[in-house]
Amino acid sequence: MATPIKEWSKLEVRAVVRFLFSKGTKPSEIHKQIAETHGEGTMSRSRVCQWCTWFGEGRTSVGDEPKSGRPKTSTNEENTTRVDELIRCDRRMKIREIALKLEIPKSTVHEIVHDTLGYRKVSARWVPKMLTEDHKLQRAEISQRLLQRCQQDNGDEDTTHIGIGPGGDFQANNNLFDNLITGDETWVHLNTPETKRDSMTWKHPSSPVTKKFKVQRSAAKVMATVFWDAKGVILLDILPQGQCINAARYCSTLDRLKEAIRRKGHGLLRRGVVLQHDNATPHSANLTQHWLQRYGWEILPHPAHSPDLAHSDFYLFGPLKRHLGGMAFETEDDLISELRNWFDNLDVDFFRVGMNSLQSRWQKCIDIHGDYVEK
C-alpha cells in the first residue's frame, strides 16, 4: 500500500492530474489515486473533472489565471495623490464619496487618508468672535509685552516693566505673578446637567446600550465672582438670583476684595496689586476706573475678545462646571456651600500651575500670530 504524502501544494496536485490525464486515465480514477496518495479531501471529484476539461481544451499551466477587475491593492502613489487632491478641494468629503469618485475600495481610501497622508477628521472649534487682523495684532503685541515683562522678572536686567495704570497710562511694577490677582464672573445653575463626555462608561460588546436623557439647565442661577492668585481663592462673591453685575456692584465687590487681601496679609496691598480682568462693561466703566485709580491698583493689559488669555475662563471655570455636572440643589444656599467646599478642597499647586500657565498662553498666541489659543 502506498504511503500517503503529508505535505503537498495545490500546484503539485494539479501537475499530477495533468500527468495522469495525459496518459489517458479517467477523471474518476485520477481522483481515486490522488485520494490514496495525498489523502481524502485533497481535491474533490468535480474539481478533478474541471481540471481535466481545461487540460483537454489545451491548457498547459497549473497555476491560477490572472483575475480580472480591481488590483489586489490600490494603495499606490497615483491614488494617494488623487485622494490628497480631493481632500484639499473639499475638506468635508467623506471616505465613501472618495471611494465612489475614484472607484477604489473604501478600505484602501481609509488606509491612504489615515496612514499614508496622516489626515484626521475634527470638528470646527467654536470661538468667541471672528478676529480681525487688528484684533490679532493687538493680542500678539500685548502677549509679547507681558511675556517680556515676565522674562525680565526672572532675569537680572534692571528694566522698566510695562503695565497699564488705572488712567490708561503705562506704569512700572516688579514681580508680576507675586502681585497678580485674577478675577471674573460666571453663571452657576442650581441644576447643571452632566455632559455626555463625563457620563461615558466602560462596557463589554455584550453589555446593554446605555441611555442618557436630555436635561436642560435650570432657569434658577446665580452669578459667582471669583478672585484668586497663585495661593488660592481670595474672594468668592455671589450675586443673589435676579441680579446682574454692573459698575456700582463691581466696585462694591472690589471693596470686599481689598478687605479680603488685607485680612490675608502677605503685604500685597503695600507692594501694589496687579489686577487681571477682562474688558466687560462693569470692568471698564468710568466708576470702576476711578476706584482703581484711587487705590493705585495696576490693571494688567488684556486684549478684547480674549477669554483664552484670561485665567478664570481657560483654567478655573471649566473644572468647576464639570464638578457641578449632574448635581441639583434645592436652594441657593446649598449651591453656594458646594462652591465654597470645592474651592477650599483645591490644592495650592492647582492655583500655582494655573497662574504660571498664562506665560505659555502668551507664547502660543505670539507663535500663531494673535489667533485663538486652543490648549
Side-chain angles (χ1 to χ4, degrees):
M1 182 177 179
T3 303
I5 299 174
K6 296 182 179 180
E7 296 182 1
W8 47 267
S9 67
K10 62 180 181 180
L11 296 182
E12 174 189 340
V13 175
R14 292 172 186 174
V16 172
V17 174
R18 184 187 179 195
F19 171 75
L20 295 176
F21 179 75
S22 64
K23 293 182 62 175
T25 308
K26 295 181 179 181
S28 58
E29 182 61 27
I30 295 175
H31 176 262
K32 181 179 180 182
Q33 292 187 35
I34 290 177
E36 291 175 354
T37 57
H38 292 73
E40 296 288 343
T42 301
M43 180 180 287
S44 65
R45 182 190 298 269
S46 61
R47 194 61 175 168
V48 171
C49 293
Q50 180 66 64
W51 276 103
C52 289
T53 301
W54 287 337
F55 291 137
E57 293 173 350
R59 178 171 177 171
T60 59
S61 172
V62 295
D64 294 325
E65 293 289 343
K67 296 182 179 180
S68 60
R70 294 169 179 159
K72 183 176 181 180
T73 176
S74 304
T75 307
N76 51 46
E77 185 175 351
E78 179 184 357
N79 284 336
T80 300
T81 302
R82 294 167 67 195
V83 170
D84 192 31
E85 290 175 350
L86 287 177
I87 292 178
R88 290 179 182 272
C89 290
D90 183 2
R91 296 281 179 169
R92 296 188 175 185
M93 182 170 282
K94 299 178 175 60
I95 295 289
R96 172 178 51 80
E97 295 172 343
I98 297 175
L100 289 175
K101 193 173 186 66
L102 299 183
E103 297 183 347
I104 57 178
K106 288 194 297 184
S107 58
T108 301
V109 175
H110 188 278
E111 180 182 349
I112 292 174
V113 170
H114 293 281
D115 299 337
T116 306
L117 296 176
Y119 282 111
R120 63 188 184 95
K121 208 164 192 180
V122 296
S123 300
R125 177 174 176 264
W126 292 107
V127 295
K129 185 179 177 65
M130 179 70 72
L131 295 174
T132 65
E133 291 304 317
D134 289 340
H135 288 143
K136 294 179 181 179
L137 180 61
Q138 181 194 45
R139 283 166 51 85
E141 288 179 346
I142 291 178
S143 296
Q144 182 67 51
R145 294 204 304 268
L146 293 173
L147 191 60
Q148 288 175 351
R149 173 173 174 173
C150 291
Q151 292 170 348
Q152 291 165 358
D153 284 345
N154 295 329
D156 298 328
E157 299 181 10
D158 184 14
T159 55
T160 300
H161 297 156
I162 300 173
I164 296 180
D169 299 326
F170 291 108
Q171 65 181 41
N173 197 289
N174 296 317
N175 303 322
L176 174 61
F177 288 102
D178 289 341
N179 302 337
L180 181 62
I181 295 175
T182 183
D184 206 349
E185 301 86 18
T186 186
W187 286 109
V188 184
H189 295 257
L190 268 68
N191 182 8
T192 303
E194 187 180 43
T195 64
K196 187 174 181 180
R197 181 185 181 90
D198 290 334
S199 64
M200 295 175 65
T201 58
W202 294 105
K203 63 183 290 294
H204 289 290
S206 59
S207 301
V209 177
T210 57
K211 296 180 180 179
K212 180 176 177 62
F213 299 98
K214 187 174 182 179
V215 180
Q216 297 291 340
R217 290 182 299 182
S218 64
K221 60 183 179 180
V222 297
M223 177 169 283
T225 303
V226 186
F227 289 97
W228 56 286
D229 63 3
K231 299 181 179 66
V233 172
I234 299 175
L235 177 68
L236 172 61
D237 187 60
I238 305 295
L239 224 61
Q241 292 188 48
Q243 295 188 24
C244 294
I245 194 78
N246 54 31
R249 172 68 191 195
Y250 189 63
C251 288
S252 177
T253 302
L254 290 178
D255 286 330
R256 286 190 287 276
L257 173 62
K258 181 172 175 291
E259 179 61 22
I261 296 173
R262 187 191 63 79
R263 290 197 305 268
K264 288 182 179 292
H266 309 302
L268 181 56
L269 291 176
R270 176 178 49 80
R271 295 196 308 269
V273 175
V274 181
L275 179 64
Q276 183 203 42
H277 58 195
D278 58 26
N279 301 317
T281 301
H283 304 168
S284 57
N286 289 334
L287 186 62
T288 303
Q289 297 304 311
H290 291 157
W291 190 102
L292 296 168
Q293 188 172 16
R294 182 168 69 251
Y295 292 105
W297 287 17
E298 177 191 350
I299 304 301
L300 198 71
H302 185 76
H305 316 296
S306 301
D308 59 321
L309 299 180
H311 283 102
S312 297
D313 284 316
F314 74 77
Y315 187 77
L316 182 65
F317 291 155
L320 171 62
K321 300 298 178 65
R322 287 194 292 272
H323 170 74
L324 295 175
M327 294 186 180
F329 301 95
E330 294 292 335
T331 66
E332 181 180 318
D333 291 338
D334 293 338
L335 172 59
I336 296 173
S337 177
E338 181 61 33
L339 290 176
R340 296 190 185 281
N341 288 335
W342 187 77
F343 285 121
D344 290 342
N345 289 327
L346 290 176
D347 190 85
V348 67
D349 286 339
F350 174 85
F351 298 99
R352 178 183 55 79
V353 171
M355 192 61 65
N356 292 331
S357 65
L358 191 54
Q359 295 186 61
S360 63
R361 288 254 165 179
W362 290 333
Q363 184 61 61
K364 289 180 181 179
C365 183
I366 296 168
D367 294 340
I368 58 179
H369 310 292
D371 209 343
Y372 280 116
V373 178
E374 292 193 20
K375 292 183 179 178

